[in-house]
Amino acid sequence: MTLSAILSCLWVLAASVVALLPMRLQYAPGLALLLMAPVLIGLLAWDYGLLVACLAFAGFVSMFRNPLIYLGRKVLGLPVRRPEADAKGASE
């Protein structure tokens, strides 16, 4: 098994552990995982090809969809909606 595959497996385990933390404790490790993912996906593409990289990217986007939507709206200058505000409005 290559180093990129081992690091990617460790990344998935770390992301799973971070997901179990309370929300207030997820920000710092979540940001580190978010910044590390493109590097790991690039390494996977180098070692295993584009198909594996696309699958890894799909998994990454699936796990980090809310932070990526937030960052995308912020970069584009669109109003930022918070998911907890949407859930609160739906319950009223």
Side-chain angles (χ1 to χ4, degrees):
M1 194 163 13
T2 63
L3 179 63
S4 64
I6 293 169
L7 291 175
S8 297
C9 290
L10 291 174
W11 186 93
V12 169
L13 292 173
S16 299
V17 169
V18 169
L20 295 174
L21 295 173
M23 192 63 187
R24 62 180 165 43
L25 298 177
Q26 288 183 7
Y27 291 109
L31 181 62
L33 290 168
L34 185 69
L35 295 175
M36 203 181 317
V39 175
L40 288 174
I41 292 171
L43 289 172
L44 286 172
W46 183 265
D47 288 338
Y48 294 102
L50 191 57
L51 178 63
V52 172
C54 288
L55 292 172
F57 181 73
F60 165 70
V61 170
S62 171
M63 290 176 71
F64 283 90
R65 67 185 165 275
N66 286 333
L68 291 172
I69 290 170
Y70 174 84
L71 289 173
R73 292 183 71 84
K74 193 104 165 146
V75 166
L76 294 174
L78 298 171
V80 178
R81 295 183 322 194
R82 299 179 60 120
E84 54 272 1
D86 291 342
K88 183 180 175 186
S91 65
E92 293 180 31

